[in-house]
Amino acid sequence: DTEVTQTPKHLVMGMTNKKSLKCEQHMGHRAMYWYKQKAKKPPELMFVYSYEKLSINESVPSRFSPECPNSSLLNLHLHALQPEDSALYLCASSHELTGLYGYTFGSGTRLTVV
Amino acid sequence: TQLLEQSPQFLSIQEGENLTVYCNSSSVFSSLQWYRQEPGEGPVLLVTVVTGGEVKKLKRLTFQFGDARKDSSLHITAAQPGDTGLYLCAGADNAGNMLTFGGGTRLMVKP
C-alpha cells in the first residue's frame, strides 16, 4: 500500500458544527502532516506529528485540533470554523521528519464552511 | 527563513511546445523535489534530486539540480494537455526545517 487515504472527499459544515477529517497510511511512515491549501496557492503547513507526538503547530487557531491515535491514523477535529477556513485540507506522510525523499500526499478534503 | 521562488507563476502554451520552469533559492538544500497537482487532488511526487548537478529524466520531463544545490529546473518537451496542472518545487534540508514549498507554476497546455 503506497497511498495516503483521506476522508471525506468533500465536506460542507456550518459555523456551529463539529466535524472531523481523517487520514490513514500503511507505509510505516513515522511523520504525518496536515496542510491547508487555498486556491492557486501552495500548501501551508498546519501541524506535524513525529512518532505519534505533536512536533510542530504552526500557530494554528484552536478551532483546529489534531489527533494521532496511532502510527497509521491522523485526525483533524474542526469546531466553530469561519467561512475563511474553507480550503483544501491535505494530509501527507514521510519516512522521516526532514522529508528528504519527499512526501506522499492524500487527495485532500475539500471543506466549505457556510 | 528559507524561500524558494518559482518562475513563471503561470504558463499557457499550445500542445507540442517546450517549456522550462525554474525554482531558485539563496539557501542550500539537501534535496529538491518536484510535484504535480491536478485540480481537486493532492500533489503527486514526480522526482527527487539530491546530488548537485544531477539530471533526471522521466519520459518527456527533465529535472536538473544546480551544482550548488540552490536551484532546480523542470523542462517539458512536446507538452501535452495531460501535463496541465500546478507544478510545485519543494526543498528539504538537514537543519530541522520542514519542507519548503515554492509558490507554484500553473501550466495550461491547450490542444
Side-chain angles (χ1 to χ4, degrees):
Chain A
D1 188 351
T2 58
E3 290 186 346
V4 172
T5 303
Q6 286 188 247
T7 54
K9 181 86 170 163
H10 301 274
L11 179 62
V12 179
M13 62 184 290
M15 289 188 283
T16 59
N17 292 160
K18 284 186 180 181
K19 297 286 184 183
S20 296
L21 309 184
K22 298 185 182 301
C23 174
E24 189 169 2
Q25 59 89 11
H26 296 287
M27 295 176 281
H29 289 176
R30 304 319 297 257
M32 296 185 75
Y33 313 82
W34 280 114
Y35 280 86
K36 174 183 178 180
Q37 187 177 27
K38 289 285 208 179
K40 302 180 181 180
K41 297 290 186 181
E44 298 175 24
L45 184 64
M46 299 176 71
F47 301 105
V48 180
Y49 273 83
S50 176
Y51 289 88
E52 303 161 47
K53 295 201 183 317
L54 183 64
S55 175
I56 292 177
N57 175 343
E58 290 285 354
S59 303
V60 179
S62 59
R63 57 185 184 268
F64 296 91
S65 175
E67 178 197 19
C68 189
N70 60 54
S71 61
S72 299
L73 294 174
L74 189 64
N75 299 322
L76 186 62
H77 302 299
L78 314 173
H79 174 54
L81 294 194
Q82 304 296 311
E84 59 264 30
D85 295 323
S86 298
L88 181 68
Y89 287 84
L90 293 163
C91 175
S93 69
S94 64
H95 278 292
E96 27 45 61
L97 207 53
T98 61
L100 187 66
Y101 296 102
Y103 289 0
T104 302
F105 282 89
S107 295
T109 294
R110 172 70 60 191
L111 174 68
T112 303
V113 182
V114 297
Chain B
T1 303
Q2 296 177 310
L3 290 174
L4 270 173
E5 295 191 8
Q6 270 187 253
S7 60
Q9 291 183 20
F10 181 75
L11 195 53
S12 179
I13 61 172
Q14 293 295 133
E15 182 176 2
E17 293 184 7
N18 301 333
L19 67 115
T20 302
V21 178
Y22 299 93
C23 182
N24 296 297
S25 176
S26 58
S27 302
V28 176
F29 291 98
S30 300
S31 76
L32 233 296
Q33 300 147 29
W34 287 91
Y35 296 81
R36 179 169 66 216
Q37 184 177 20
E38 298 185 18
E41 298 293 328
V44 175
L45 180 65
L46 297 175
V47 78
T48 300
V49 284
V50 295
T51 304
E54 182 177 5
V55 177
K56 281 191 175 179
K57 293 194 174 187
L58 186 67
K59 297 183 181 178
R60 294 177 292 99
L61 279 59
T62 301
F63 305 86
Q64 186 163 5
F65 201 11
D67 291 341
R69 305 207 319 272
K70 294 181 179 181
D71 54 84
S72 181
S73 64
L74 158 60
H75 182 79
I76 300 180
T77 304
Q80 298 177 359
D83 296 327
T84 293
L86 176 67
Y87 288 81
L88 294 159
C89 67
D93 66 25
N94 287 326
N97 297 306
M98 292 297 107
L99 209 60
T100 299
F101 279 93
T105 295
R106 190 161 297 276
L107 172 65
M108 181 177 295
V109 182
K110 300 175 185 176

